Amino acid sequence: MFPSDRFDLLRVVLVATRNPLNLGAAARAVSNFGFSGLRVVNPFQAAFREARSAVGASTVLLRAEEYNSVAEAVADCTLVVGTTAVRHRRLQHPLRRLEYGARMIRKQLGSSSVALLFGSEKFGLSNEDLSYCHWLMRIPTCEQNISMNLGQAVAVCLYEIVRDGKVSRQTEKQMFATAGDYERITNLLLDAMYASGYLKQRPTRDAEERLRRLIRRLNLPTGDVAAWLGILRQISWKLRH
């Protein structure tokens, strides 16, 4: 079984969940596999904590943390993984099958926090939501019925994470930047791009999302974050004075 001292490092993040029963079922899955970190971003129903489908998981549901944005919900995590059924959308991230993605999540949980994102039942994760992710993961369902119920999808993903039981601890000495660090770097770089006129010369509709994905591919050690922030603050200051 997956080491229990790593359970608190996983955050299951539900984005814009529409049905309180689905949220309750997801909370039950979190509890079933011994996790506790449930986060919700703009749930459709304010009374979701009373969902009857959270059988045996009332504590998980009551302690669920609410956020107004994905950026806030994943700020303390060094790895952010999105889930998708793919369908016909064009992805801008690496896409991994469930079994391989779960191994990578287990490895990261050996040293730091991981966020696992699930989108709304109707639309899934938006392109903006996905821009906060390092990579994506999918459950290999059949083409005739590709999407799963939210609670079932959470349960399948968490089972795959815990079933192997092997967690790498070799990365404990090397800590990496959190999503919050990446967002601060992204905002400073955007500020410099606007101040320099770069975005006026090369207008792009989804410039912020593209830049966010680019910054996350740097895979920065936490010790480099202060240097990047200092450099970008100086550049922005110089451009405006």
Side-chain angles (χ1 to χ4, degrees):
M1 186 65 175
F2 190 75
S4 59
D5 63 341
R6 300 294 158 181
F7 282 9
D8 291 340
L9 293 177
L10 183 70
R11 288 83 167 91
V12 174
V13 182
L14 308 182
V15 182
T17 306
R18 299 178 62 83
N19 190 329
L21 294 177
N22 288 335
L23 207 156
R28 184 176 184 180
V30 169
S31 178
N32 283 153
F33 294 102
F35 294 100
S36 60
L38 180 63
R39 298 180 175 184
V40 296
V41 179
N42 296 324
F44 189 68
Q45 292 282 351
F48 71 87
R49 296 182 193 276
E50 302 171 7
R52 295 181 180 179
S53 53
V55 179
S58 57
T59 300
V60 171
L61 207 54
L62 287 172
R63 293 180 179 177
E65 300 173 282
E66 291 187 66
Y67 294 88
N68 294 319
S69 69
V70 172
E72 295 172 337
V74 303
D76 61 338
C77 300
T78 59
L79 174 62
V80 182
V81 179
T83 57
T84 178
V86 183
R87 289 193 176 90
H88 303 295
R89 72 192 304 170
R90 183 179 179 183
L91 300 178
Q92 304 293 331
H93 295 73
L95 177 65
R96 297 184 169 94
R97 281 176 61 100
L98 177 61
E99 60 271 27
Y100 179 51
R103 287 199 298 270
M104 296 182 68
I105 290 173
R106 283 197 299 271
K107 181 177 179 181
Q108 191 72 20
L109 287 172
S111 62
S112 56
S113 300
V114 176
L116 183 57
L117 272 59
F118 296 86
S120 73
E121 301 91 329
K122 191 171 183 179
F123 302 109
L125 294 169
S126 68
N127 287 335
E128 181 181 357
D129 297 333
L130 293 177
S131 71
Y132 292 94
C133 299
H134 292 85
W135 45 268
L136 309 178
M137 185 167 68
R138 68 176 292 265
I139 298 170
T141 51
C142 68
E143 290 297 324
Q144 289 77 14
N145 191 7
I146 198 168
S147 66
M148 295 182 68
N149 170 271
L150 177 61
Q152 292 175 331
V154 173
V156 171
C157 289
L158 296 185
Y159 167 74
E160 191 65 31
I161 291 171
V162 304
R163 76 179 181 89
D164 190 304
K166 298 177 182 178
V167 176
S168 171
R169 297 174 184 265
Q170 63 184 5
T171 57
E172 289 201 38
K173 293 182 179 179
Q174 177 71 296
M175 300 297 291
F176 290 93
T178 65
D181 294 329
Y182 285 125
E183 193 64 8
R184 284 188 284 276
I185 291 172
T186 299
N187 290 333
L188 282 170
L189 189 51
L190 271 174
D191 183 68
M193 292 166 72
Y194 279 115
S196 68
Y198 180 89
L199 290 179
K200 290 183 179 179
Q201 297 175 9
R202 301 171 179 80
T204 306
R205 179 181 55 83
D206 57 347
E208 183 172 343
E209 293 173 13
R210 290 188 180 196
L211 183 61
R212 188 174 288 120
R213 293 193 297 266
L214 174 66
I215 295 300
R216 276 156 177 73
R217 289 199 292 269
L218 294 175
N219 200 29
L220 294 174
T222 192
D224 291 351
V225 172
W228 274 93
L229 292 174
I231 291 168
L232 292 172
R233 287 191 185 104
Q234 182 64 24
I235 291 173
S236 293
W237 181 87
K238 194 68 175 180
L239 287 169
R240 296 180 184 280
H241 293 82

